[in-house]
Amino acid sequence: MLPFFRKIRYQMAKDNQFLKYSRYAIGEIVLVVVGILIALQINNWNEEKKEHEIFLSNLRSMRNDLISDTLGFNDYIEFLEQSSQLKEVLLREDSFDEYTLDSLIVLIQPFTDGNEINTKSYEKIDWSSVKRDASLDSLVSTIQHYYIVRKSRHDGNVEWDIAYAYKEAEYWYFHKNFEQSYLESVDIHIPYLRSDSQRLSDLKTELQTIEVRNLIRMAIYRKNWVKRTALKSKSEATKLLTSIEDYLESTE
């Protein structure tokens, strides 16, 4: 057996076939390596394309979220304006002679409402995997500012208004000199210690005290401050919505 292999090796060396076959083998290896690299590159391109399509899909969902946010801001701003206007009546009137007990109770009610920025689509995006370029860099920065900075400020103001509205509620619902009428809202009717006319007189007296006027004045200030923040949030949402629509249009 060994002599047989020696004979083949001798013949290859004699005919100079070894060098030719070595070059052929090396060429085959290079082709295989190049093929693998091309396949990996194509796979990377496909993965990047897939990730970009997912990103675009999330942007479309974010666009819908922003439309919903804008409508929510409109309702919230209207609520804040109406609440402030109701409280202003209490400070502008001198005698309240034309008001009934029920109408005054409506004016002193500590109304509050919540408002949230929808972050579902934003939270779905893996921002570390988003391939940034010049056209996308500015948009991503705007998106992150809205969902991080703007959302934090907006949420803080909403929570502030809710917290102090509850403090107002505690003041009126546990008042020492005036019996509130909140039980009627759940169809429970229990007699008061004083007649409606006496309760109306009590409430008018309270509305002329500095403590109550300061309470009402703070409520007006708070509602208007929160409204100003909500207007800024709405403005940012509108601008971001336009930027996203422009980017989506440029990719189609």
Side-chain angles (χ1 to χ4, degrees):
M1 184 62 71
L2 287 176
F4 173 74
F5 285 111
R6 289 194 187 100
K7 185 177 180 181
I8 293 175
R9 186 173 59 188
Y10 172 78
Q11 190 65 34
M12 290 178 64
K14 180 180 178 182
D15 297 336
N16 201 25
Q17 295 294 313
F18 180 77
L19 183 59
K20 185 169 74 173
Y21 285 120
S22 296
R23 289 175 180 173
Y24 175 79
I26 292 172
E28 287 290 316
I29 293 172
V30 170
L31 286 176
V32 171
V33 171
V34 170
I36 292 173
L37 291 175
I38 291 174
L40 289 173
Q41 186 61 46
I42 292 173
N43 183 65
N44 288 337
W45 286 337
N46 289 334
E47 286 297 318
E48 288 179 2
K49 183 178 179 181
K50 181 180 178 182
E51 289 177 357
H52 191 64
E53 286 298 324
I54 293 173
F55 176 68
L56 292 179
S57 176
N58 286 326
L59 275 187
R60 294 185 188 98
S61 296
M62 189 180 292
R63 175 181 58 190
N64 295 333
D65 290 347
L66 288 166
I67 292 173
S68 177
D69 283 351
T70 303
L71 295 174
F73 289 139
N74 288 336
D75 292 340
Y76 189 54
I77 290 166
E78 183 180 359
F79 158 76
L80 293 169
E81 287 177 346
Q82 292 176 350
S83 299
S84 177
Q85 289 168 3
L86 288 174
K87 291 293 187 289
E88 286 182 27
V89 172
L90 293 172
L91 294 185
R92 296 185 187 281
E93 292 290 338
D94 294 327
S95 62
F96 302 105
D97 290 338
E98 297 181 0
Y99 290 86
T100 65
L101 176 62
D102 289 339
S103 63
L104 278 181
I105 288 176
V106 169
L107 292 177
I108 68 171
Q109 289 298 317
F111 294 113
T112 187
D113 196 8
N115 181 258
E116 294 183 0
I117 291 176
N118 190 342
T119 61
K120 289 183 179 179
S121 299
Y122 174 77
E123 292 172 351
K124 287 181 180 178
I125 299 176
D126 180 7
W127 294 100
S128 62
S129 67
V130 176
K131 190 175 181 180
R132 307 274 284 271
D133 54 33
S135 63
L136 191 57
D137 194 59
S138 176
L139 176 60
V140 171
S141 297
T142 305
I143 289 173
Q144 292 181 335
H145 184 274
Y146 175 76
Y147 284 102
I148 297 174
V149 179
R150 175 50 51 190
K151 182 180 185 304
S152 176
R153 292 173 182 171
H154 181 74
D155 289 352
N157 278 274
V158 172
E159 291 169 5
W160 174 47
D161 183 52
I162 292 174
Y164 276 83
Y166 280 128
K167 288 188 176 182
E168 282 185 62
E170 288 181 6
Y171 180 88
W172 287 112
Y173 295 155
F174 299 100
H175 202 285
K176 295 180 180 179
N177 301 317
F178 175 71
E179 287 186 276
Q180 258 282 17
S181 305
Y182 56 87
L183 288 179
E184 279 76 355
S185 63
V186 288
D187 295 326
I188 298 177
H189 302 277
I190 298 175
Y192 297 96
L193 291 176
R194 297 163 71 85
S195 66
D196 284 353
S197 61
Q198 290 173 320
R199 289 174 62 229
L200 176 58
S201 178
D202 291 340
L203 184 52
K204 288 179 179 180
T205 300
E206 289 301 316
L207 290 172
Q208 297 299 326
T209 64
I210 293 177
E211 182 180 13
V212 169
R213 289 180 65 82
N214 281 338
L215 186 73
I216 295 168
R217 187 173 283 107
M218 170 52 80
I220 296 170
Y221 167 79
R222 190 177 67 250
K223 297 296 183 186
N224 282 278
W225 182 274
V226 176
K227 183 185 74 173
R228 185 167 69 174
T229 304
L231 284 168
K232 290 181 180 178
S233 298
K234 177 188 172 182
S235 177
E236 254 188 66
T238 303
K239 291 178 182 178
L240 178 56
L241 178 59
T242 300
S243 298
I244 289 176
E245 287 177 339
D246 290 343
Y247 180 79
L248 290 173
E249 184 177 347
S250 69
T251 59
E252 293 176 355

